[in-house]
Amino acid sequence: MIIVILFSLIFSLVTLMFSFLPDGNVLPFGTDNILVTAVQTVYAFIDVFPPIGIVFQAFSVFILYKIGMLILRLFIGHRAPN
Amino acid sequence: MKYIIKFFLIVVFIAMPVAAPRVFAATLTFSKITTEFYVDNAPFKCLYGYSYPPPGYNSAYYPAGPGQLQVSVVLLPGGSPLSDGTYIVYSGPDVASNCMDSSNPTFLSDNGYFTVLGGVITAQGPVSAFIDTSTHIISWVPITGSTVATGTQSIGFTGWINEDDFEEDMYFSFRNNCIEPLCNAFNDAFLAGPIYITNSGEFSFSTSTDLQSVGLHSEDVKIFSPTFNVFGYPLFYQQILSDSSQYNVGTSTGFFEGIIDELQAGLASSTAQFSQVCNPIGGNFTVSLCLLAFVYPSADQIQTMLTQLQTQAPWGYVFRFYDIVAGNATTSTSSLPVISYDVSSTSPFGPLHIEFDLFGAIRGTDSILNTAVSDSDNPKTLWQIIDPAVYFLVYLLLIILIFRDLTKSNL
């Protein structure tokens, strides 16, 4: 049970630490509103013309690939494909 | 494990001497109950009140003295005199609009009343009403003991200067700052004064400030009156009133009280989980889960932590960004506007209704993309037919793009 108590203490600490940070439900500096409007407009266009959605999807995959490569490079350095 | 235990021992030994006096002081404050009812404007139809601290003490009756169960009503002097009638005293939320709501659980019995005749309080029930004309602070913004969100908030107070106390050149100073737990006198500090008071009676101060620190905040007001004038110039001042009010920013309690609360809740749910899965005669006995319960805290606590991680900065921003881009930020996607125009009946072309619906034209029921173009038993729309081809083309381009990127070729 001592392990449970220790884990509980760790989780309590992490929870408390984060509770003092600012609320992250809304993006700061008004960017939330801008991004929601932009993305919703894209979705509205996708409703009208689905191929836009596929391009959008492919673009997201490409961005994920680029971010993934960045992270990979960060961890394995020069051995990662560049 | 050894290092984890060491780390926590160090944290506890360093933090306890720092936190203990504050925690102790907070406990002392909670034993104090002061109640003040006030009127927002006169003449008025109802009164409302608040208690400080804690909010849980906001019950129907307030102790007015040893052995007495009475409500003291402090009336704000000034404004128009009270109109004649019987005033029922409510204890309710701090918003005036709710104070006539008899369904409020904190509604007093009919006996809580006082009667005004000719501007004078003539009769009263178990309510002792009096008009406080002494020099005092009537109300605070934010309300004492209340909790406000971080961000731009109004702070200030309304006070009353007794006619006999009023002097030329008297002034007040105002201070607002965060007092605990993870802040000091410089956090959210706002200082004002000396601000000169020009007349007796009601005076107030209000401003808005950006509250950034979560925790207990304090507002302090000091009123000074000149005691020694030379040729009309005040040389020495005497403090005639010092009052303060405390309010919370955010929902957080003190850091260490918070840890204890969290830990208690976590252990309680862990114990409940333990007794559930490790009881051999209970219906939910599972050996593997029971063994796991020796090591892992309850799922509730882990869930609480994960929720906290997902909603607070900086990870909250990452999750929010994902939600927006994935289209989960709002419940429904907006559609493009329909352009329409009505030609009036007086026009040679009218009456006529012209409508251009891009959505309907391309994606609507009988639109180009949704028209069935096959005569077979399983007809498909144009879009259903070309959809795989579009997917193939776009993703082929994507693969080529990634391949080019990886090989740095000019393919």
Side-chain angles (χ1 to χ4, degrees), chain B residues 111-325:
Chain B
N111 293 329
Y113 72 96
F114 63 92
T115 305
V116 174
L117 195 61
V120 179
I121 298 165
T122 52
Q124 38 197 306
V127 172
S128 64
F130 61 94
I131 295 171
D132 186 4
T133 53
S134 68
T135 299
H136 69 292
I137 304 300
I138 299 163
S139 62
W140 297 88
V141 177
I143 290 168
T144 305
S146 65
T147 301
V148 296
T150 51
T152 306
Q153 294 286 355
S154 290
I155 53 169
F157 67 94
T158 304
W160 184 268
I161 300 286
N162 185 279
E163 264 183 58
D164 297 336
D165 288 342
F166 179 72
E167 300 276 350
E168 286 289 327
D169 295 320
M170 72 188 299
Y171 70 90
F172 69 88
S173 66
F174 174 83
R175 180 189 180 95
N176 172 80
N177 64 270
C178 180
I179 50 174
E180 68 173 278
L182 292 178
C183 48
N184 56 42
F186 297 105
N187 285 86
D188 293 342
F190 182 89
L191 298 166
I195 297 171
Y196 290 93
I197 301 166
T198 50
N199 54 291
S200 64
E202 194 178 302
F203 73 108
S204 62
F205 173 76
S206 175
T207 184
S208 61
T209 186
D210 188 15
L211 301 173
Q212 292 176 335
S213 302
V214 171
L216 197 62
H217 284 56
S218 179
E219 289 176 294
D220 300 272
V221 173
K222 287 178 177 150
I223 301 174
F224 296 90
S225 178
T227 52
F228 185 68
N229 288 353
V230 175
F231 303 121
Y233 291 98
L235 280 189
F236 298 110
Y237 277 92
Q238 176 196 8
Q239 182 181 307
I240 58 163
L241 182 84
S242 171
D243 201 354
S244 69
S245 158
Q246 294 181 347
Y247 62 93
N248 283 301
V249 173
T251 50
S252 181
T253 52
F255 188 66
F256 284 92
E257 294 113 304
I259 285 192
I260 291 162
D261 286 352
E262 285 285 335
L263 192 60
Q264 275 176 345
L267 286 180
S269 55
S270 286
T271 315
Q273 171 184 273
F274 194 76
S275 63
Q276 206 180 14
V277 293
C278 296
N279 181 2
I281 47 172
N284 297 318
F285 178 67
T286 319
V287 175
S288 56
L289 283 180
C290 178
L291 287 173
L292 199 65
F294 272 99
V295 183
Y296 254 63
S298 77
D300 288 348
Q301 200 185 0
I302 298 169
Q303 190 56 49
T304 311
M305 183 183 71
L306 290 179
T307 312
Q308 193 78 270
L309 291 179
Q310 286 177 13
T311 52
Q312 307 291 120
W315 294 113
Y317 294 139
V318 178
F319 282 95
R320 174 67 182 164
F321 182 79
Y322 172 79
D323 273 350
I324 293 173
V325 174

Side-chain angles (χ1 to χ4, degrees), chain A residues 24-76:
Chain A
N25 279 326
V26 177
L27 298 181
F29 314 121
T31 46
D32 195 86
N33 222 347
I34 296 167
L35 201 64
V36 169
T37 312
V39 172
Q40 287 299 305
T41 310
V42 171
Y43 274 100
F45 270 105
I46 291 169
D47 268 354
V48 173
F49 192 60
I52 297 174
I54 297 163
V55 175
F56 187 61
Q57 214 175 44
F59 179 74
S60 306
V61 172
F62 185 72
I63 291 295
L64 278 179
Y65 150 76
K66 286 300 258 185
I67 293 169
M69 276 300 156
L70 272 175
I71 294 168
L72 205 66
R73 222 167 280 153
L74 201 72
F75 279 101
I76 60 173

Side-chain angles (χ1 to χ4, degrees), chain B residues 7-62:
Chain B
F7 171 74
F8 281 109
L9 281 178
I10 290 167
V11 168
V12 167
F13 277 117
I14 292 174
M16 280 309 277
V18 179
R22 284 182 174 184
V23 175
F24 184 60
T27 325
L28 283 181
T29 322
F30 273 82
S31 63
K32 176 188 159 200
I33 307 167
T34 55
T35 307
E36 189 181 351
F37 281 78
Y38 67 94
V39 187
D40 56 339
N41 51 6
F44 49 90
K45 295 299 172 199
C46 64
L47 305 165
Y48 59 99
Y50 59 88
S51 69
Y52 164 79
Y57 273 89
N58 203 0
S59 58
Y61 292 96
Y62 296 88

Side-chain angles (χ1 to χ4, degrees), chain A residues 2-22:
Chain A
I2 188 78
I3 303 171
V4 176
I5 295 170
L6 268 175
F7 269 115
S8 275
L9 195 62
I10 294 167
F11 290 166
S12 301
L13 261 177
V14 173
T15 311
L16 256 292
M17 289 287 188
F18 271 84
S19 75
F20 284 99
L21 290 169

